[in-house]
C-alpha cells in the first residue's frame, strides 16, 4: 500500500510523528467507555430510522442513553478527581 502525503507545507505540514503520542492514546483509552456507549446509542437509533420504533426499540434506546449518561458522569468525575501539577493537596 502506498502512502499519500502532501509535498508542500502550505497544504499539510509534514510530520515525522504520524502516529498518535502516548498522551493521546491514554486520553482515548480514558474516553473509550463513553465512545462505545455513544456508538451503541447510535446503533439503536439507526435501527429505527426506517420504521416505527417498537417497545423493544424504545427500551433499547433508553438503556443506551442511560449508558451514555453514566459514562459521561464517570468521565467527568474522573477528570475532577485528578490534580494538576502545582495544585495544593
Amino acid at each position: 500500500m502506498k502512502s499519500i502525503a502532501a509535498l508542500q507545507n502550505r497544504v499539510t505540514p509534514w510530520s515525522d510523528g504520524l502516529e498518535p503520542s502516548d498522551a493521546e492514546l491514554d486520553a482515548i483509552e480514558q474516553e473509550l467507555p463513553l465512545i462505545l456507549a455513544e456508538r451503541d446509542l447510535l446503533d439503536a437509533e439507526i435501527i429505527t430510522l426506517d420504521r416505527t420504533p417498537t417497545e423493544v426499540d424504545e427500551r433499547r434506546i433508553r438503556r443506551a442513553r442511560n449508558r451514555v449518561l453514566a459514562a459521561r458522569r464517570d468521565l467527568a468525575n474522573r477528570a475532577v478527581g485528578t490534580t494538576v501539577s502545582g495544585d495544593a493537596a
Side-chain angles (χ1 to χ4, degrees), residues 70-89:
R72 285 182 182 164
R73 179 199 62 219
D74 294 343
L75 187 61
N77 287 341
R78 202 172 316 130
V80 169
T82 60
T83 59
V84 178
S85 178
D87 284 351

Side-chain angles (χ1 to χ4, degrees), residues 12-87:
T12 304
W14 179 258
S15 172
D16 290 333
L18 294 177
E19 297 295 322
S21 68
D22 289 339
E24 291 171 330
L25 290 174
D26 288 341
I28 291 170
E29 187 175 335
Q30 292 292 321
E31 293 178 9
L32 192 58
L34 176 59
I35 294 168
L36 295 176
E38 288 176 339
R39 182 204 57 193
D40 292 343
L41 175 59
L42 184 60
D43 286 344
E45 291 173 338
I46 287 172
I47 289 171
T48 62
L49 284 178
D50 61 344
R51 66 174 191 219
T52 304
T54 64
E55 184 178 334
V56 173
D57 292 332
E58 290 173 358
R59 192 176 306 149
R60 182 181 298 125
I61 290 171
R62 185 173 57 248
R63 288 179 180 164
R65 281 188 184 135
N66 289 337
R67 283 191 298 268
V68 168
L69 290 174
R72 285 182 182 164
R73 179 199 62 219
D74 294 343
L75 187 61
N77 287 341
R78 202 172 316 130
V80 169
T82 60
T83 59
V84 178
S85 178
D87 284 351

